[in-house]
């Protein structure tokens, strides 16, 4: 796990400890497996982005604050120029860039996500988090698995789903796939 991920885990732990809530209680309140949550908070595993969205909402902090340690300030609008969105997670073979990192009080979290070409040769890694998600494929081909259903998406295709169902994705066709993911 990289240093940035450890810092995020430490900030989550501090928030939990400030309100004096046990790990098991918080995990159950948010719909996470307590063993999995413990691995995230201890730094053994990276927090999935969707889980961080739920944790930020639970503690009433912006995701950008949880991710960076700095408060977001923009309340009317924010512009994120091409190539300037901060990377928020470094899960192997996936890149996540927060497209509205500096807007205060967001009701959704928009990300640009890239699934590396190498994901095609691996099993789909499933995760769950409360809420809903919208994915719009911009480049490449993407296989998304939602609750046991495998769906192939091409550029211009999109899917909206209940993210509390097991879901995951991988690139197809030997090339990386880029898609817009909005987590609600």
């Amino acid at each position: 796990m990289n240093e940035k991920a450890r810092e995020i885990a430490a900030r989550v732990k501090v928030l939990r400890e400030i309100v004096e809530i046990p790990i098991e209680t918080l995990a159950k309140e948010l719909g996470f497996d307590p063993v999995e949550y413990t691995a995230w908070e201890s730094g053994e595993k990276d927090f999935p982005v969707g889980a961080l969205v739920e944790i930020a909402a639970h503690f009433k902090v912006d995701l950008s604050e949880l991710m960076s340690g700095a408060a977001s300030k923009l309340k009317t609008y924010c512009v994120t120029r091409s190539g300037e969105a901060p990377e928020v997670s470094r899960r192997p073979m996936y890149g996540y860039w927060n497209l509205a990192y500096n807007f205060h009080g967001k009701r959704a979290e928009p990300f640009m996500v890239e699934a590396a070409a190498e994901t095609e040769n691996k099993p789909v890694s499933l995760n769950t988090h409360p809420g809903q998600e919208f994915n719009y494929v911009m480049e490449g081909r993407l296989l998304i698995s939602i609750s046991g259903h495998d769906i192939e998406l091409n550029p211009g295709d999109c899917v909206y789903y209940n993210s509390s169902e097991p879901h995951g994705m991988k690139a197809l066709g030997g090339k990386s796939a880029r898609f817009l993911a909005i987590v609600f």
Side-chain angles (χ1 to χ4, degrees):
M1 175 179 288
N2 65 45
E3 185 60 30
K4 185 173 181 178
R6 280 195 261 312
E7 290 171 2
I8 293 167
R11 281 191 284 276
V12 170
K13 182 178 180 180
V14 166
L15 285 171
R16 182 184 57 74
E17 289 175 343
I18 286 170
V19 297
E20 299 177 345
I21 184 170
I23 284 178
E24 297 80 16
T25 303
L26 180 62
K28 288 180 182 175
E29 284 180 9
L30 295 176
F32 303 135
D33 175 80
V35 173
E36 186 80 5
Y37 180 88
T38 300
W40 297 337
E41 191 178 292
S42 70
E44 293 173 35
K45 295 175 76 177
D46 284 344
F47 275 97
V49 172
L52 289 172
V53 169
E54 290 301 314
I55 292 165
H58 180 81
F59 290 113
K60 296 179 176 51
V61 299
D62 281 347
L63 179 64
S64 59
E65 197 168 338
L66 190 58
M67 300 295 296
S68 70
S72 57
K73 296 178 178 27
L74 301 177
K75 295 181 181 179
T76 304
Y77 69 91
C78 70
V79 174
T80 303
R81 301 284 181 203
S82 178
E84 293 181 6
E87 190 166 4
V88 297
S89 177
R90 290 196 164 94
R91 287 177 60 200
M93 294 185 279
Y94 295 91
Y96 291 83
W97 293 269
N98 191 330
L99 301 177
Y101 67 96
N102 54 358
F103 192 84
H104 182 75
K106 292 183 289 296
R107 293 188 181 144
E109 290 290 345
F111 298 98
M112 177 62 62
V113 183
E114 183 171 310
E118 295 81 19
T119 60
E120 182 170 21
N121 301 320
K122 306 221 180 258
V124 173
S125 176
L126 300 174
N127 69 78
T128 62
H129 53 88
Q132 300 173 343
E133 191 164 329
F134 172 79
N135 300 149
Y136 177 86
V137 178
M138 300 178 68
E139 298 173 15
R141 293 178 40 231
L142 187 72
L143 175 89
I144 183 163
S145 180
I146 305 168
S147 198
H149 302 278
D150 290 342
I151 306 157
E152 288 189 29
L153 300 173
N154 295 299
D157 293 344
C158 60
V159 60
Y160 191 104
Y161 55 95
N162 177 346
S163 51
S164 66
E165 296 292 330
H167 63 280
M169 57 280 300
K170 66 181 183 176
L172 295 174
K175 296 180 182 176
S176 64
R178 290 178 64 87
F179 59 99
L180 176 65
I182 303 174
V183 180
F184 301 91

